[in-house]
Amino acid sequence: MSDYLVIVESPAKAKTIERYLGKKYKVKASLGHVRDLPRSQMGVDVENDYTPKYITIRGKGPVMQELKTAAKKAKKIYLAADPDREGEAIAWHLANSLNIDIESDCRVVFNEITKEAIKESFKNPRPIDMDLVDAQQARRILDRLVGYNISPILWKKVKKGLSAGRVQSVALRLVIDRENEIKNFQPEEYWTIDGNFEKGKKAFDALYFGNGAEKIKLTNEAQVNEILSHLKGDKFEVTSVIKKERKRNPAPSFTTSSLQQEAARKLNFRARKTMMLAQQLYEGLSIGKEGIVGLITYMRTDSTRISDTAKKDAHSYIEGEYGKEFVTTSTAPVKQSKKSQDAHEAIRPTSVLRSPEQLKSILSKDLFRLYKLIWERFLASQMSSAVLDTVTIDLTNENVVFRANGSQVKFPGFMKLYVEGNDDQVEEKDRILPEMEKGDFVKKIEIEPKQHFTQPPPRYSEARLVKTLEELGIGRPSTYAPTLDTIQKRGYVTLDAKRFIPTELGGIVHQLVLEFFPDIIDIEFTAQMERDLDSVEEGQEKWVHIIDKFYLDFEKHVTHADKEMEKVVIKDEPAGEDCEKCGSPMVFKLGRYGKFMACSNFPECRNTKAIVKNIGVTCPTCKEGEVVERKSKTKRIFYGCDQYPTCEFVSWDKPLSRPCPKCSELLVEKKLKKGIQIQCTACDYKEDTQA
């Protein structure tokens, strides 16, 4: 018989911890939460201080019976769920179910699953922190009150299966607002004058800047021609040379949201996949002679703090691998976000000595890639700043100034190992200019004016949406991945080229919530609610007061919406063509991913067709048909002539209605890793746009 029973959430974690603790300890898994609010009813007694009604989760009966049997045999029980609000709530539910005194030293927490951390945590058990439990309960109850009041109204007025919630409604609003910005965007013409020059035998590029006094924005071709008419000869004088040295500091170790963003940019991982893989790295994996080991610290955190021990180990490793000059000399603590709770450390490897290359043959491809990202980011955060030499040179001809910018890495510092990505995938590269002094002359090789048009703001990628939610103070580390999943599962948004596009159904739900529940969709109101809920965790507010302050007004909106919201009838619209299979009229239907065509003779005939979208471009091949947007069998968008098969024009790149300014042929939008580039299909003309 074991003297002590330890209860964790997952079986993988249980195996690792049991091996560290020894024979006197029996470690069992609760498989997550064991109690929750019932799914079939509200489960919150509004009349009695919002008292929750908890029941054993369906299917958890055998698990609870096994835990109760083991508890009767143990001298002492330790609850070792994850070190966050959710973990504290799981421990509290287990304590209630197993009759454990919550004020006893029954709770152990650890930020990493290593032998040292586990042993240390069991030397310092503590009571259950009811402030953390109340913070989790408050969020759970608030979400239940919102979801179980608004969702039935949406089912009744629109269709079944819909939902609305505090965080998902704001996320949907951001996607829809951005789409409206794009639709209402009016492109503006602007020009650049690109110059290619030569000093000695070295060529370099410079852009038109303005006159000697100020920078000038070019808005039309006439203005460009006027400037070019002033130029005389091929010689340009070097009128200014400014050299500077600047430092670039490394990014701090990952938080949950920055990990999701960087994994999306560099590894092309969805938020849910990133968190699933990170969970495996945290809970422990078998790595040969060491057995099962937790490879990273806890992956749900909004802190960038690093322990002194981890810093010391990193500094020793960096000095040994790269040299003492690569170790950071900064002793200042990393600045935390004002919204950060700083409950525990940033995400880092549990041992910097376990390099990615040592684990490459052991880990799966995706686990290796994510571990490598975390390991490199952490190590780079403890390395010295990079030093860059920058130079700005002005070239003048008849008061027409071209400016060349150059930069060169003088000392790589952290950049030797890792450089943080960004949403636009712009890489910093050496741009080396020839040596020049004021008064020198350079020779013009070519000067080429280029026409451009401003681009609308980009649609949200997962990384950009997570970043925006975090900046606005909406949601918390554990909510980002499930929020993005929910708005997709409900059919409110779709992903096209990894960017969110709202569906017609999403627009309908958004408009109804905006009209009848304005607070739920208000960004500042939702951010303030998050701050109020955080104050419960800090012991500054009582959760019942927070809920009551919200619900008294919310209840009035629910009553009003139930009476006044008109039923949305999504009628089948005639499509204007007959079914090619049975001859019945085709109709437009609204499905989960937007409108599609279907036979009106359903269910006898199940013929369906995608709606063809006209993009307003005449076919460049036959000159008679229109180019339309279509989807391949793999759901990839392509463009083709509506006269197919008579005309076989097809393109993966989106054709544009305006011709190439250089040769008047077809321009297309080409999707590259760094964003979208407009290219001519006949000549070398290119325009870089936003991502």
Side-chain angles (χ1 to χ4, degrees):
M1 182 183 81
S2 301
D3 292 338
Y4 307 106
L5 173 65
V6 182
I7 304 176
V8 297
E9 286 134 308
S10 77
K13 194 192 297 186
K15 289 179 183 178
T16 312
I17 294 172
E18 189 169 82
R19 187 167 61 85
Y20 291 149
L21 292 175
K23 294 180 180 178
K24 288 188 176 182
Y25 292 83
K26 185 67 179 175
V27 185
K28 288 191 170 291
S30 68
L31 304 177
H33 276 280
V34 293
R35 297 198 309 171
D36 197 6
L37 301 172
R39 298 182 69 177
S40 58
Q41 55 182 276
M42 177 76 71
V44 178
D45 190 345
V46 175
E47 302 299 325
N48 291 292
D49 287 339
Y50 308 97
T51 304
K53 175 188 175 182
Y54 291 116
I55 62 168
T56 301
I57 295 171
R58 181 177 291 181
K60 287 295 180 76
V63 174
M64 281 308 304
Q65 189 57 51
E66 185 181 344
L67 293 176
K68 286 177 180 178
T69 301
K72 288 176 183 177
K73 298 176 183 178
K75 291 180 181 178
K76 186 169 179 61
I77 304 169
Y78 292 104
L79 305 170
D82 286 344
D84 57 10
R85 282 189 301 260
E86 211 69 32
E88 206 71 21
I90 290 173
W92 179 71
H93 284 301
L94 284 166
N96 277 275
S97 299
L98 300 174
N99 296 316
I100 301 169
D101 182 2
I102 63 171
E103 295 184 1
S104 66
D105 291 336
C106 60
R107 179 81 167 112
V108 290
V109 293
F110 34 82
N111 191 46
E112 57 187 74
I113 303 177
T114 58
K115 190 172 185 177
E116 297 75 19
I118 300 297
K119 291 274 190 183
E120 187 62 31
S121 69
F122 276 85
K123 291 178 185 177
N124 301 287
R126 61 166 174 78
I128 288 175
D129 187 335
M130 285 308 298
D131 287 336
L132 285 175
V133 174
D134 287 344
Q136 189 275 343
Q137 281 199 109
R139 280 180 160 79
R140 187 77 185 95
I141 291 168
L142 185 62
D143 289 340
R144 177 57 65 99
L145 290 171
V146 171
Y148 274 52
N149 275 297
I150 299 181
S151 297
I153 296 174
L154 294 176
W155 295 1
K156 186 164 62 175
K157 305 293 185 177
V158 187
K159 60 181 285 191
K160 285 189 176 181
L162 304 182
S163 68
R166 290 185 307 116
V167 180
Q168 76 174 61
S169 295
V170 175
L172 177 60
R173 173 185 179 166
L174 291 172
V175 173
I176 288 176
D177 284 352
R178 178 55 55 87
E179 195 67 19
N180 289 334
E181 283 183 68
I182 293 169
K183 286 179 181 176
N184 297 328
F185 181 80
Q186 296 295 323
E188 294 180 6
E189 180 185 12
Y190 72 97
W191 287 71
T192 59
I193 306 176
D194 298 4
N196 186 241
F197 298 88
E198 188 177 57
K199 177 72 165 67
K201 293 184 178 181
K202 291 184 179 179
F204 64 97
D205 295 324
L207 284 173
Y208 170 75
F209 177 77
N211 56 34
E214 60 180 346
K215 184 174 183 177
I216 295 175
K217 184 179 178 181
L218 304 176
T219 56
N220 56 65
E221 190 174 9
Q223 187 182 10
V224 171
N225 290 334
E226 171 68 18
I227 290 165
L228 294 177
S229 69
H230 290 291
L231 296 177
K232 293 181 180 178
D234 292 342
K235 283 189 176 182
F236 280 68
E237 183 182 0
V238 177
T239 51
S240 173
V241 178
I242 300 173
K243 294 181 179 181
K244 289 182 180 179
E245 182 181 277
R246 70 177 178 91
K247 287 187 176 181
R248 181 174 173 184
N249 297 322
S253 288
F254 284 126
T255 62
T256 302
S257 66
S258 62
L259 175 63
Q260 291 175 7
Q261 293 169 49
E262 194 75 335
R265 297 183 193 111
K266 291 198 168 186
L267 308 180
N268 202 22
F269 287 175
R270 302 284 298 276
R272 176 172 284 279
K273 179 176 181 176
T274 298
M275 296 311 293
M276 179 191 71
L277 294 171
Q279 182 88 32
Q280 292 178 49
L281 292 171
Y282 165 70
E283 290 185 347
L285 294 158
S286 179
I287 57 169
K289 292 180 181 179
E290 288 188 79
I292 299 174
V293 177
L295 296 178
I296 64 169
T297 54
Y298 193 52
M299 66 287 162
R300 291 189 182 91
T301 177
D302 55 8
S303 172
T304 52
R305 177 173 53 82
I306 296 294
S307 72
D308 290 338
T309 303
K311 285 182 182 178
K312 186 178 178 182
D313 290 345
H315 294 174
S316 296
Y317 185 91
I318 294 164
E319 185 173 345
E321 289 291 318
Y322 299 98
K324 194 170 184 177
E325 68 274 20
F326 282 88
V327 179
T328 181
T329 55
S330 173
T331 55
V334 177
K335 288 184 179 180
Q336 301 282 1
S337 163
K338 290 180 180 179
K339 305 179 187 78
S340 172
Q341 298 301 294
D342 200 31
H344 29 74
E345 285 188 70
I347 303 168
R348 61 167 176 81
T350 53
S351 172
V352 74
L353 297 177
R354 296 190 192 97
S355 70
E357 289 307 313
Q358 289 176 330
L359 302 176
K360 189 170 185 179
S361 62
I362 299 169
L363 300 178
S364 68
K365 181 182 176 182
D366 287 343
L367 282 170
F368 167 75
R369 293 174 73 203
L370 188 65
Y371 179 74
K372 184 172 185 283
L373 190 71
I374 293 168
W375 187 87
E376 289 182 346
R377 172 81 164 225
F378 163 65
L379 202 63
S381 76
Q382 300 304 308
M383 294 176 75
S384 53
S385 301
V387 181
L388 291 88
D389 277 339
T390 63
V391 59
T392 302
I393 297 175
D394 286 350
L395 313 172
T396 305
N397 179 314
E398 299 296 326
N399 206 34
V400 176
V401 178
F402 280 72
R403 177 163 289 180
N405 291 297
S407 66
Q408 188 173 2
V409 177
K410 185 178 182 180
F411 174 69
F414 74 93
M415 292 173 67
K416 191 174 183 71
L417 176 66
Y418 174 90
V419 178
E420 183 181 21
N422 59 72
D423 289 319
D424 299 321
Q425 297 296 312
V426 177
E427 295 180 10
E428 185 159 349
K429 297 179 180 178
D430 281 353
R431 296 182 296 276
I432 302 172
L433 298 176
E435 279 295 323
M436 283 177 270
E437 300 291 338
K438 186 176 179 180
D440 286 352
F441 285 89
V442 300
K443 183 182 178 183
K444 175 196 79 175
I445 298 174
E446 182 185 19
I447 287 180
E448 181 184 12
K450 291 183 178 180
Q451 182 188 38
H452 309 271
F453 292 87
T454 56
Q455 299 296 310
R459 292 186 174 109
Y460 284 106
S461 62
E462 279 203 351
R464 200 184 289 266
L465 188 53
V466 166
K467 184 178 181 181
T468 304
L469 289 169
E470 183 186 34
E471 289 172 346
L472 294 172
I474 307 296
R476 287 299 178 259
S478 60
T479 64
Y480 298 132
T483 295
L484 302 189
D485 262 8
T486 299
I487 59 175
Q488 291 174 78
K489 286 178 179 176
R490 295 286 181 266
Y492 298 161
V493 299
T494 59
L495 274 176
D496 177 31
K498 299 172 189 172
R499 305 278 167 158
F500 286 115
I501 301 175
T503 63
E504 187 173 351
L505 180 60
I508 291 169
V509 171
H510 168 73
Q511 194 57 43
L512 292 174
V513 175
L514 180 63
E515 182 179 351
F516 291 95
F517 302 98
D519 286 346
I520 295 297
I521 215 161
D522 182 81
I523 290 171
E524 180 49 40
F525 179 88
T526 307
Q528 182 59 51
M529 179 60 71
E530 290 286 5
R531 294 191 288 270
D532 290 343
L533 291 168
D534 285 341
S535 69
V536 175
E537 183 171 330
E538 294 155 11
Q540 298 173 357
E541 282 275 12
K542 296 296 182 185
W543 72 268
V544 173
H545 173 68
I546 299 290
I547 301 292
D548 196 50
K549 187 170 65 173
F550 164 79
Y551 189 72
L552 291 177
D553 190 48
F554 175 70
E555 190 177 27
K556 296 174 186 175
H557 286 293
V558 172
T559 304
H560 175 69
D562 197 36
K563 289 180 180 178
E564 301 298 328
M565 188 184 290
E566 294 183 5
K567 187 172 178 62
V568 178
V569 180
I570 304 174
K571 295 181 179 179
D572 294 342
E573 304 171 33
E577 61 180 85
D578 293 333
C579 174
E580 63 266 30
K581 291 187 177 180
C582 72
S584 300
M586 296 289 281
V587 294
F588 291 124
K589 287 184 175 287
L590 180 60
R592 182 175 173 183
Y593 300 110
K595 283 188 174 181
F596 65 97
M597 277 197 286
C599 181
S600 60
N601 194 27
F602 180 86
E604 283 73 20
C605 178
R606 295 177 177 269
N607 184 29
T608 61
K609 289 169 63 178
I611 296 174
V612 174
K613 181 180 175 183
N614 195 313
I615 64 168
V617 177
T618 302
C619 176
T621 300
C622 69
K623 310 295 184 185
E624 295 179 1
E626 293 289 321
V627 177
V628 294
E629 182 182 295
R630 302 179 186 272
K631 280 189 179 180
S632 68
K633 290 181 181 179
T634 57
K635 305 297 181 184
R636 184 179 172 188
I637 290 176
F638 69 97
Y639 303 88
C641 180
D642 64 1
Q643 300 297 309
Y644 178 84
T646 305
C647 175
E648 295 186 351
F649 170 78
V650 67
S651 171
W652 290 113
D653 304 317
K654 183 179 180 179
L656 300 183
S657 56
R658 60 186 175 93
C660 172
K662 193 172 181 181
C663 69
S664 300
E665 292 297 324
L666 179 69
L667 287 178
V668 295
E669 285 185 358
K670 196 168 189 69
K671 292 176 182 176
L672 307 174
K673 282 187 177 180
K674 66 177 182 178
I676 295 173
Q677 188 179 69
I678 294 172
Q679 296 183 359
C680 179
T681 55
C683 72
D684 60 356
Y685 178 79
K686 293 177 182 177
E687 288 180 25
D688 285 321
T689 72
Q690 295 177 9

